[in-house]
Structures are given as structure tokens and as C-alpha cells.
Amino acid sequence: MTEEERIFTGGVAVITGAGAGIGMGLARRCGQIGMTVIVTDIDKARADAVAADIVAAGGKAEAIQVDVAKPEALDALALDIFDRHGAVRLLVNNAGIETVGYSWEIPIDRWERTLNVNIHGVVHGVRSFVPHMLRVGKEAWIANLASIGSFGIMPTQAAYIMSKHAVQSFSECLYLEMQVAGAPINVCSIIPGMLKTSIFDAEAGNGEPEGAAAHRAAMAQMMASYGMDLDEGCRHFVEGLAARKFWISSQPDMTDRALAERVGFFQKQAPPTLNEQTRALLGA
Ligand SMILES: NC(=O)c1ccc[n+]([C@@H]2O[C@H](COP(=O)([O-])OP(=O)(O)OC[C@H]3O[C@@H](n4cnc5c(N)ncnc54)[C@H](O)[C@@H]3O)[C@@H](O)[C@H]2O)c1
């Protein structure tokens, strides 16, 4: 029996945005190691397909439609899952969207949606699930999806980048809050470098300014060429969760480089500069 199985088999995993990409990869992995997987997504058809795949492979899963930007939807989800399953061993606040374009050109709806999904979606997951986890009193895990972008800066992705800086700092505060409260909840920051997912697909960019399409296509191309295999990345993530790590990177070298650059930037306190790679990507 692996360490992941020893810790997670027989438990319930609730994953947001699990109808595609990393959420889907994590759902599959949790299914493989014998968890009951609650596959939630704003897109019910996607969630149904992922749950059906897990069940077809011999696992346990159910699909539920949840928009993480709606606090009441997460409250209802938590009530329902604790009522029917008694406990949740793993909550993954994964749902997130990219938004591309100059900050002054992104329409207000897209700005608000990005911050609501990426920041408040994570906060709502915590707010809705932690009181039940505390009441049940068993050891549990909460994993929030940060990003390599949590430690860097990218012009024309300001909404996304600032949201990921926020998620990382939220997870750090939450980790310490669990210590202060003496709560048996492991808080983990999952840091994908680049995994092959649909986050830069053209249809995911509805509502972005016109000029965003070319940048989105370039990022999708980069992801297809250099991204890590989704299932491999998600295996690392679940291993890190079982090891009770706070920092869980898919590509630790990328995380180390981003952190070193950021530390250097803070130490110099110089103005932000465009590096060659960013210039080339943005044609600046
Ligand atoms: N792919 C990467 O390399 C990468 C890198 C860094 C961080 N991340 C983070 O990983 C997470 C997942 O990204 P991905 O690449 O798998 O994206 P993806 O676009 O492939 O999948 C995201 C899923 O979330 C769902 N979703 C979108 N809005 C939602 C909402 N309001 N409520 C519920 N579900 C919603 C979508 O329907 C989709 O199924 C995000 O938080 C993202 O920021 C990904």
C-alpha cells in the first residue's frame, strides 16, 4: 500500500473545477487510490463525463454542478456532502480562469469574474467546509491552487497574476490559522508550473479584449510544447498532499527560479523590468 493509499483510501475528496484540466487529473488520481470523488464544475456535462470515467475505471464518483463564485452554492455543497458522507478528507479549491488583455481594456464583467472565481472561489470553499471539518474533528486536507504566477509578474495577465498572489498569501495565513486554532487540517499550496490543460483554449477567453486572442494562442502553443503531462503532474500533487507538504510544485525548479527572481527584485527595490522572454511573447 502506498502512502497516498494509506492516508486517502476510503475518504471523500471534493474538487472544484474538476470537469477539465488539473481538477480532472486530481479527480482521476483520487479515484484511482480509492477515494469517493465529488467532481464539481460550473459545467455539469464536463463534471458528469469525468465522474463517469472514474466509475468506469472501477472508482467511486459523483458529479455536482457548482459555480465557485457563488458563496451559497458552496454552502449548499458542504451541507449536502457532510450530510450524506459524514466527512470530507480532502477539499481542493481548484477552479480558476485566466484573463488576458491590457488592464484598462478588460471589461468589468471579466475583471469581476476573474477575481470572484480565482480569489473568492477559494475563500468560499474554506468558509463553507472548514466549520464542518472542525465539527467532525478528523484529520483533513485543504489544497488551494496557486501558480508559478503567484511569485512572478506578467503584463497583460494582471487580473490572473494578482489573484494568484492573493491565493498564495491566503493559503499561508490559513495554514497559520489552523495552528492558532489547533485544528487538525493540513493546508497545502499546489503550485503548477505548466501542465497541459484547457486554460488557454480560445473559448475560455470569452469577454476578453480583441487583442487577447493572439497572446492566448501563443500561451496555448507554449503549453502544448512544454507543459507537463497532466496525469504525471497530478500524481506529484497527491503524493505531496499525502506527505503533508505545504509547498507542492509540479516543477520545483521552475518554482525555485521564480522565487529567486522575486527575492532579487524585492532586495533591489528597482522598478519592474520586461525580460527578453516576455518581450518576445508580447512583441514589445
Ligand atoms: N494549467 C497550468 O499550467 C496551471 C498553472 C498554474 C496554475 N493553474 C491553476 O490550476 C487551476 C486549474 O486550471 P486548469 O489549467 O486545469 O484550467 P482548465 O481551464 O483546464 O479547467 C478549469 C475548470 O474549471 C471550471 N470552472 C471555471 N469557472 C468555474 C467556476 N466559476 N466554478 C466552478 N468551476 C469553474 C471549468 O469549467 C474547467 O472545467 C486554476 O486555478 C489555475 O489557475 C494551472
Side-chain angles (χ1 to χ4, degrees):
M1 185 182 264
T2 65
E3 187 61 3
E4 290 142 87
E5 287 167 332
R6 197 183 64 72
I7 288 188
F8 290 124
T9 301
V12 171
V14 177
I15 308 176
T16 67
I22 292 171
M24 172 178 73
L26 286 169
R28 282 189 203 138
R29 184 67 192 141
C30 290
Q32 282 166 1
I33 61 172
M35 299 191 84
T36 298
V37 191
I38 314 299
V39 179
T40 75
D41 202 282
I42 193 170
D43 183 329
K44 178 68 163 51
R46 284 179 165 187
D48 282 337
V50 172
D53 279 354
I54 294 170
V55 171
K60 295 191 193 115
E62 55 182 272
I64 303 182
Q65 198 267 338
V66 176
D67 176 354
V68 299
K70 296 190 172 147
E72 63 283 4
L74 281 150
D75 285 347
L77 177 71
L79 265 180
D80 172 40
I81 300 303
F82 277 87
D83 186 39
R84 290 191 295 116
H85 293 278
V88 168
R89 199 165 302 169
L90 170 64
L91 167 69
V92 187
N93 291 306
N94 162 78
I97 57 172
E98 255 288 3
T99 288
V100 179
Y102 286 123
S103 296
W104 57 93
E105 289 183 353
I106 293 166
I108 186 66
D109 284 356
R110 183 81 197 194
W111 258 110
E112 290 187 352
R113 182 104 197 119
T114 310
L115 301 183
N116 274 334
V117 174
N118 293 11
I119 302 178
H120 290 140
V122 177
V123 173
H124 296 325
V126 167
R127 198 190 40 71
S128 300
F129 278 76
V130 168
H132 294 283
M133 287 173 165
L134 293 177
R135 177 176 50 75
V136 171
K138 295 183 179 157
E139 185 177 21
W141 278 253
I142 296 178
N144 298 329
L145 264 285
S147 167
I148 197 78
S150 297
F151 317 114
I153 295 296
M154 185 69 190
T156 75
Q157 286 182 37
Y160 181 80
I161 293 287
M162 65 191 265
S163 74
K164 291 296 166 178
H165 283 231
V167 170
Q168 175 66 19
S169 51
F170 176 61
S171 296
E172 290 174 27
C173 291
L174 188 65
Y175 182 95
L176 293 178
E177 285 182 18
M178 294 306 169
Q179 291 193 354
V180 174
I185 300 177
N186 304 288
V187 176
C188 310
S189 181
I190 293 189
I191 304 159
M194 191 179 268
L195 266 62
K196 288 189 173 89
T197 70
S198 41
I199 197 165
F200 286 112
D201 283 7
E203 58 271 23
N206 283 339
E208 288 175 345
E210 248 175 53
H215 178 116
R216 187 168 267 281
M219 293 299 291
Q221 180 59 48
M222 193 185 289
M223 186 172 259
S225 308
Y226 305 111
M228 184 182 239
D229 173 75
L230 183 61
D231 290 325
E232 186 188 347
C234 290
R235 262 198 312 277
H236 284 309
F237 293 148
V238 177
E239 264 169 34
L241 291 171
R244 298 181 178 80
K245 289 184 177 168
F246 174 75
W247 298 80
I248 308 178
S249 297
S250 57
Q251 289 121 311
D253 292 358
M254 279 175 80
T255 305
D256 289 351
R257 273 199 305 279
L259 284 167
E261 270 178 38
R262 194 81 184 135
V263 169
F265 170 72
F266 284 145
Q267 283 172 337
K268 283 190 204 126
Q269 296 186 32
T273 47
L274 281 173
N275 64 30
E276 280 316 306
Q277 201 190 2
T278 307
R279 277 185 193 284
L281 183 69
L282 300 177

